[in-house]
Amino acid sequence: MTCLLTDPAEAAALLRDGALVAFPSETVYGLGADAWNGRAVAAVFEAKGRPHFNPLICHFADAESAFAEVVADDRARALAAAFWPGPLTLVLPRRPACRVDLLAGAGLDTLAVRVPAHPRTLAMLRAAGRPIAGPSANRSGQVSPTTAAHVMAGLAGRIAAVLEGGDCAVGVESTVLDLTGPGAVMLRPGGVPAAAIEAVIGRIGRPLKLAAADATRSLRSPGMMLSHYAPTLPLRLDATAVDTAEALLAFGPRPLPGAGALWNLSPGGDVAEAAARLFAGLRWLDAEGQRLGLRGIAAMQVPPDGLGETIADRLARAAAPRG
């Protein structure tokens, strides 16, 4: 049963316990999960029926908390001073010691961060003491919610609670700005106009059209089709046998015997656990396989139930031929 809350401390306690809580912002209501907790982040994709592991925006109580997880340059700090709290998301490189789970960033070496401008949510973030990953609080493909009633209509029974915060003042998603290269690129228009950003840091670029961007694997924005982290070693799907020259991405209580290295996504056969461990597993097998001189990674099939379909999509992208 999903409950309505007015106390940010109650919402923070649920989030720390790994539950999903929808929260208000100046843009739209977000579906929050502890960004340090891979199982909680996986539950977000499950609750939304999100078709791909797109990057999620991580929400912070203040700029310095955000910049403890990502590398901020002078442009990022100037924009944070001008627009945070507010409807601007910055895509920045992850720090080596970043504690945000890889699933929240869809396995990329970057992270989308912002400080929302809603007093009740800022109080929740301070009480939680950690970043909260939060896409819009609606079923995937549906209209983004701007009231608690909208959230309840779409997600009641699928999440623990909704933190009531009234109507959203802006009502459209945040602007997403990629600062990972020498030139700033606006990946998604939103609550902060391009002209306002350019008044702070100078001219910004616009992204490729979606089809071209997906083909060239160039976009990093939440809510857009992406090709995410792919291992250096070739990835072989639906493996039914493996040999000592391959690493194995296993699933379930009976991993295939004989692999040169093994990472089991979920010994108990839990697809949510498998989703939470997917990107970490690919990275570990890639590094360990290269260290051992293995020729590739073999992946066992994950059942297509729930998040299993999304895992299969992600693995297919990781295994796709590279130009």
Side-chain angles (χ1 to χ4, degrees):
M1 180 177 177
T2 301
C3 60
L4 278 172
L5 302 176
T6 57
D7 184 355
E10 289 184 58
L14 286 170
L15 289 163
R16 287 196 305 270
D17 286 342
L20 302 186
V21 177
F23 60 89
S25 78
E26 77 283 21
T27 58
V28 298
Y29 273 72
L31 177 54
D34 178 357
W36 294 346
N37 181 338
R39 290 295 298 270
V41 174
V44 168
F45 292 96
E46 194 167 35
K48 283 180 67 70
R50 201 173 179 92
H52 304 286
F53 286 143
N54 288 349
L56 305 180
I57 294 173
C58 290
H59 298 74
F60 294 82
D62 52 62
E64 289 311 308
S65 297
F67 296 157
E69 303 278 7
V70 293
V71 179
D73 59 14
D74 290 343
R75 298 172 301 173
R77 292 188 179 278
L79 290 167
F83 299 114
W84 283 357
L88 177 65
T89 294
L90 302 179
V91 178
L92 294 163
R94 291 172 63 106
R95 290 187 180 275
C98 179
R99 292 168 291 178
V100 173
D101 192 83
L102 283 168
L103 184 59
L108 296 169
D109 292 324
T110 57
L111 199 63
V113 300
R114 89 175 184 101
V115 178
H118 194 289
R120 192 165 284 179
T121 289
L122 287 173
M124 178 193 77
L125 288 164
R126 288 191 291 269
R130 62 200 63 201
I132 300 303
S136 57
N138 56 288
R139 298 296 299 275
S140 188
Q142 297 181 355
V143 177
S144 296
T146 55
T147 69
H150 293 164
V151 179
M152 293 294 282
L155 294 176
R158 302 177 70 88
I159 63 177
V162 179
L163 180 63
E164 170 65 70
D167 294 356
C168 297
V170 175
V172 296
E173 285 86 353
S174 62
T175 302
V176 179
L177 191 70
D178 186 351
L179 295 178
T180 58
V185 177
M186 188 171 73
L187 299 180
R188 182 181 74 185
V192 176
I197 295 170
E198 291 180 330
V200 177
I201 64 169
R203 185 171 177 78
I204 62 176
R206 301 299 190 274
L208 295 172
K209 294 184 182 297
L210 283 181
D214 190 51
T216 58
R217 304 168 179 236
S218 63
L219 287 185
R220 300 173 181 272
S221 175
M224 293 176 134
M225 295 290 291
L226 301 176
S227 180
H228 305 312
Y229 174 79
T232 299
L233 292 176
L235 178 64
R236 180 169 65 88
L237 304 180
D238 300 333
T240 56
V242 65
D243 63 40
T244 56
E246 291 181 298
L248 178 65
L249 187 68
F251 177 82
R254 291 182 292 278
L256 299 172
L262 171 69
W263 178 282
N264 198 328
L265 292 171
S266 175
D270 183 335
V271 292
E273 181 183 23
R277 288 168 52 80
L278 175 62
F279 292 116
L282 281 173
R283 285 173 179 262
W284 185 86
L285 286 176
D286 196 22
E288 184 69 1
Q290 291 181 72
R291 186 184 72 81
L292 295 173
L294 304 182
R295 69 165 185 260
I297 301 170
M300 293 176 62
Q301 188 175 46
V302 176
D305 306 319
L307 286 175
E309 182 179 2
T310 304
I311 292 169
D313 172 84
R314 175 59 191 86
L315 289 173
R317 287 169 174 263
R322 299 162 216 175

